[in-house]
Amino acid sequence: MKINQTNDDSMMNHLLESLPAEEFARIQPYLESVTLSLGEVLYESGDTMSHIYFPTSVIISLLYIMENGGTSEIGIAGNSGLIGMALYMGGETTSSRAVVQSAGNAVRMRSAEMKKEFQLGGIFQDILLRYAQSMITQISQTAVCNRLHSVQDQLCRWLLINHDQLPGDTLVMTHDLIANMLGVRREGVTQAAGFLQNNGYIKYVRGTVTMLDRPGLEKICCECYKVVAEEYDRLLGKYLRKNKHRAKPVLAVV
Amino acid sequence: MKINQTNDDSMMNHLLESLPAEEFARIQPYLESVTLSLGEVLYESGDTMSHIYFPTSVIISLLYIMENGGTSEIGIAGNSGLIGMALYMGGETTSSRAVVQSAGNAVRMRSAEMKKEFQLGGIFQDILLRYAQSMITQISQTAVCNRLHSVQDQLCRWLLINHDQLPGDTLVMTHDLIANMLGVRREGVTQAAGFLQNNGYIKYVRGTVTMLDRPGLEKICCECYKVVAEEYDRLLGKYLRKNKHRAKPVLAVV
DNA sequence: GCCGCTCCGTTCGGTAGGGAACATATAAAA
DNA sequence: TTTTATATGTTCCCTACCGAACGGAGCGGC
């Protein structure tokens, strides 16, 4: 982790940029910009968190690691989310690992200041709580998707969710890593990805995946992506839409 | 749903009985006791919630219903939980269905009063937020268990979690219903339950399951039960243990 | 150029669980 | 008691996915 000299990028996180000017001004002095590299671990299961992170260009994955070594992702957060809900929910720690899935920047805020600001109520608190609820939806939908849908469906969902957090259309990620996220075998990912490539939805070579036909992907994907995207928009859209600085929609909703 | 004349049973919900006397006195006037029958639906996916429910003897299941008709439970709440987090998280609704899994009583509180009391902060708010975090853990663990563990493991987890919310050792529940909760086939449940019965862990006849060897069940279960139970205790134990009225431990932790 | 590493493609066999059909057992209703 | 509805037991086949192994392909370092 590299600590940057300015926090100019703080407005690139959609939750922060949704704040009214006066509330943003209040917390801005506490924000610190950091650069995170691929694979870096922000915290392990059980670690007491020192900071809350608001990704600006980085993507963070929340991973569960089972006793038998199996892994499965329960949710991700990019520039429309945050990492460290447990700080304001009261628990201080969670049982998941937060790991950098795509290198980039984030702004962070110390635990103590975070809790103090949360207690003040206002829009900031409301946004944090609504975001927590949207994560509950994301995790729930992951649970049922894990249970009831095929690997291919889940790969589509995963690609779409990640694409929403990315600046462009290319994702740096090997089949092996995707398999760890989905909790399936690498071969299963290769097979599903092969199908998607043969049908013109994506293209991939040695650790990069490029989206070619996003509308098509949404079409063949199970409903799980849409449910999560729409719920995020329902919960936080009223704040996000107020801000005219937003360049592209956070989530493409049908 | 039947509305009762007194709310004397309100102290039978562990979250409520954890409140300091003065905070409990403040909200008690808003509490209303209701009797709920098996299969009753407290709210459907998308419904605006009118009340938050604190189960005293009832058990409520949170079910997701997919477009193809498949169902899967993401969490449950009994006398150590509540139903209606979305009210204080800001969303007003969730995308799950809340259905009575075991008949009994609950006390409830109207949406408006709930939100007002939550805003006052204090122990009540802290307990509600910590409970929300424990539900996040429960849902996350369900997600990974769905992905990585066998039907038998999941049946054990489900039985243990339900047993924690029950007064006795007998659960009124058919294999068919359990299958809906777990999101698997009825035959799969019959087979797993048959194994558990043949090995003396449980006994069942026509819609009732009796726990015979709970320590044994915990032993052969995957870690998922233990993780959820310990996390609940870590988050809320400090409040629960203060109250001397508690009869039995909410969760048996190894 | 050559070597070596990582990523992807493919195969084989094994298994858990799904879909469907049907037999049997118990409880409630008539 | 007989009837009927519901709960559980069992079988068959089928598919998706797992585990493991190995071959080839791209890309770096030397």
Side-chain angles (χ1 to χ4, degrees):
Chain A
M1 185 183 314
K2 181 178 148 290
I3 298 175
N4 304 319
Q5 294 309 308
T6 66
N7 65 8
D8 296 344
D9 55 350
S10 57
M11 286 303 281
M12 288 164 57
N13 177 278
H14 298 323
L15 297 180
L16 290 178
E17 73 179 358
S18 299
L19 289 171
E22 64 277 15
E23 292 204 31
F24 181 74
R26 199 179 69 208
I27 68 167
Q28 192 173 24
Y30 303 131
L31 298 176
E32 176 180 61
S33 171
V34 293
T35 299
L36 299 161
S37 50
L38 183 63
E40 200 167 326
V41 174
L42 289 188
Y43 56 77
E44 287 286 348
S45 161
D47 281 3
T48 299
M49 301 172 184
S50 61
H51 294 78
I52 190 169
Y53 290 81
F54 296 90
T56 55
S57 56
V58 73
I59 298 183
I60 309 289
S61 174
L62 295 177
L63 266 188
Y64 259 57
I65 293 100
M66 308 300 270
E67 285 175 1
N68 64 14
T71 60
S72 184
E73 184 186 70
I74 57 158
I76 71 165
N79 64 2
S80 49
L82 61 85
I83 290 292
M85 281 189 298
L87 276 181
Y88 57 87
M89 299 299 281
E92 308 279 332
T93 81
T94 55
S95 27
S96 57
R97 168 190 292 177
V99 54
V100 176
Q101 190 183 101
S102 175
N105 283 7
V107 294
R108 66 179 193 175
M109 189 170 166
R110 277 223 289 271
S111 165
E113 278 103 4
M114 176 68 218
K115 283 185 272 192
K116 210 183 69 203
E117 292 297 322
F118 179 82
Q119 288 301 328
L120 294 179
I123 306 289
F124 191 44
Q125 189 191 69
D126 193 40
I127 287 178
L128 294 175
L129 291 178
R130 283 170 176 266
Y131 178 71
Q133 194 186 332
S134 87
M135 275 306 287
I136 292 176
T137 301
Q138 191 183 337
I139 299 170
S140 303
Q141 205 71 38
T142 303
V144 295
C145 197
N146 278 354
R147 159 62 67 218
L148 300 166
H149 294 153
S150 68
V151 169
Q152 186 188 306
D153 272 339
Q154 293 176 58
L155 176 61
C156 292
R157 172 175 59 82
W158 190 88
L159 288 171
L160 288 169
I161 291 178
N162 275 272
H163 189 211
D164 284 335
Q165 318 287 330
L166 282 171
D169 292 332
T170 298
L171 178 63
V172 178
M173 180 71 46
T174 65
H175 292 183
D176 204 21
L177 283 172
I178 296 176
N180 286 335
M181 299 298 165
L182 296 181
V184 299
R185 283 182 322 149
R186 195 267 311 162
E187 291 88 335
V189 173
T190 297
Q191 190 178 336
F195 173 86
L196 294 181
Q197 177 163 257
N198 291 338
N199 289 272
Y201 296 110
I202 62 172
K203 191 165 70 75
Y204 59 88
V205 279
R206 271 190 88 74
T208 68
V209 184
T210 306
M211 309 286 180
L212 297 180
D213 177 11
R214 189 186 155 107
L217 268 181
E218 291 185 17
K219 212 164 209 166
I220 62 165
C221 185
C222 54
E223 77 245 42
C224 298
Y225 167 71
K226 206 180 62 155
V227 170
V228 173
E230 287 179 352
E231 181 69 356
Y232 181 92
D233 195 59
R234 185 183 73 81
L235 287 165
L236 290 155
K238 68 171 180 176
Y239 291 123
L240 298 177
R241 272 187 285 275
K242 275 189 189 156
N243 193 300
K244 48 182 168 287
H245 302 307
R246 271 180 72 234
K248 79 164 188 178
V250 181
L251 298 157
V253 176
V254 180
Chain B
M1 184 183 316
K2 183 178 145 289
I3 297 175
N4 303 320
Q5 294 308 307
T6 65
N7 67 8
D8 296 344
D9 55 348
S10 56
M11 286 304 280
M12 288 164 56
N13 177 279
H14 298 322
L15 297 179
L16 291 178
E17 73 179 359
S18 300
L19 289 171
E22 64 278 14
E23 290 203 32
F24 181 72
R26 199 178 70 206
I27 68 168
Q28 192 173 25
Y30 304 131
L31 298 176
E32 176 179 60
S33 171
V34 293
T35 300
L36 300 161
S37 50
L38 183 64
E40 201 167 324
V41 174
L42 290 188
Y43 55 78
E44 287 287 348
S45 160
D47 280 3
T48 300
M49 300 172 184
S50 61
H51 295 77
I52 189 168
Y53 290 80
F54 296 91
T56 55
S57 56
V58 72
I59 298 183
I60 310 289
S61 175
L62 295 177
L63 265 188
Y64 259 58
I65 293 98
M66 309 299 271
E67 284 175 2
N68 64 14
T71 60
S72 185
E73 185 185 71
I74 56 157
I76 72 164
N79 64 2
S80 49
L82 62 84
I83 291 291
M85 281 189 298
L87 277 180
Y88 58 86
M89 298 299 281
E92 307 279 332
T93 80
T94 56
S95 27
S96 57
R97 169 189 292 176
V99 54
V100 176
Q101 189 182 101
S102 174
N105 283 9
V107 294
R108 66 179 193 174
M109 190 170 166
R110 277 223 287 272
S111 165
E113 278 102 4
M114 177 67 218
K115 283 184 271 192
K116 210 184 67 204
E117 292 297 321
F118 178 83
Q119 287 301 327
L120 294 179
I123 306 290
F124 191 45
Q125 189 191 69
D126 193 39
I127 287 177
L128 294 175
L129 290 178
R130 282 170 176 267
Y131 178 72
Q133 195 186 331
S134 87
M135 276 305 288
I136 292 176
T137 302
Q138 190 183 338
I139 299 170
S140 303
Q141 205 71 39
T142 303
V144 294
C145 197
N146 278 354
R147 160 61 66 220
L148 299 167
H149 294 153
S150 68
V151 169
Q152 185 188 307
D153 273 339
Q154 294 176 59
L155 177 60
C156 292
R157 170 174 62 83
W158 191 87
L159 289 171
L160 288 168
I161 291 178
N162 276 271
H163 188 211
D164 284 336
Q165 317 287 331
L166 283 171
D169 292 331
T170 298
L171 178 63
V172 178
M173 182 71 44
T174 65
H175 293 183
D176 203 21
L177 283 172
I178 296 176
N180 285 336
M181 299 297 166
L182 295 181
V184 299
R185 283 181 323 147
R186 196 267 311 161
E187 290 87 335
V189 173
T190 298
Q191 189 179 337
F195 173 86
L196 294 181
Q197 178 163 256
N198 290 339
N199 289 272
Y201 296 109
I202 62 172
K203 191 164 70 76
Y204 59 88
V205 279
R206 268 192 90 73
T208 68
V209 184
T210 306
M211 309 285 179
L212 297 181
D213 177 12
R214 189 186 155 107
L217 267 181
E218 290 185 16
K219 212 163 209 166
I220 62 163
C221 185
C222 54
E223 77 245 41
C224 298
Y225 167 71
K226 206 181 61 154
V227 169
V228 173
E230 287 179 350
E231 180 69 357
Y232 181 90
D233 195 58
R234 184 183 74 81
L235 287 165
L236 289 156
K238 67 170 182 176
Y239 291 123
L240 298 177
R241 273 188 284 275
K242 275 191 189 154
N243 193 300
K244 46 182 168 285
H245 302 306
R246 270 180 73 234
K248 77 162 189 177
V250 181
L251 296 157
V253 175
V254 180

